[in-house]
Amino acid sequence: MFKKIVAATDGSQFADHVVATAARLATTCGADLCIVTVVPRRGELPEAVRARADRERQREGAPRTVGFLLEETYSDDIVERACQAILDDAAASARRAGVPAVETVLEHGDPVARILDRSPAGDAILLDENVARDVLFHAKAPCLIVK
């Protein structure tokens, strides 16, 4: 049915559900699984990335910094490490679910474009509602929105 399934995650509970569903589908179909995380732009950090970035910063003993409007800021390096940790956790979860071939991809830039880059025609894309509309409009592959 499918040779490769692409699942996008930002570390949220919804995205965890997407990865779990993709892992079940990959196991059932005998497909490879590609899990994609896109490093968010400054000022657009999802809650799960902020929480992981806080842990990364505490682990290395970096000081807290506050930016405009008293919002906490994070170095690019800490955000990237937080996203990589989210990706690693998702891959470990998929492997525990029995997916033999799990590829992980950490990307930068526009999430929709980066997800589409990883999903050529013939594959399946699993998404949560955050990026679904834009990916659905441009995707050549079948898409499944996981709620």
Side-chain angles (χ1 to χ4, degrees):
M1 183 176 209
F2 300 116
K3 293 181 182 180
K4 182 168 86 174
I5 296 169
V6 176
T9 183
D10 63 2
S12 68
Q13 280 186 310
F14 298 115
D16 289 347
H17 188 56
V18 168
V19 172
T21 302
R24 285 193 305 275
L25 184 59
T27 301
T28 301
C29 296
D32 294 344
L33 178 59
C34 176
I35 305 172
V36 179
T37 296
V38 180
V39 176
R41 295 179 191 101
R42 266 190 196 275
E44 297 179 6
L45 296 183
E47 181 59 37
V49 174
R50 275 197 307 267
R52 190 56 80 101
D54 281 337
R55 281 184 268 172
E56 287 293 320
R57 184 175 49 214
Q58 288 171 352
R59 188 176 60 74
E60 71 176 30
R64 294 181 71 183
T65 55
V66 178
F68 183 67
L69 298 178
L70 301 178
E71 288 185 9
E72 205 155 348
T73 60
Y74 304 92
S75 71
D76 292 341
D77 184 53
I78 286 177
V79 171
E80 184 151 342
R81 284 199 319 269
C83 290
Q84 184 63 55
I86 287 168
L87 190 58
D88 293 344
D89 288 350
S93 174
R95 288 183 185 105
R96 282 191 304 274
V99 180
V102 179
E103 173 189 8
T104 59
V105 179
L106 184 64
E107 293 278 8
H108 293 81
D110 175 52
V112 173
R114 299 297 73 82
I115 292 165
L116 291 170
D117 287 348
R118 293 290 166 181
S119 53
D123 295 338
I125 308 169
L126 276 73
L127 308 158
D128 67 13
E129 296 172 328
N130 292 333
V131 293
R133 186 189 58 158
D134 292 331
V135 170
L136 285 170
F137 184 75
H138 297 285
K140 291 180 175 54
C143 296
L144 174 65
I145 300 171
V146 180
K147 288 186 142 200

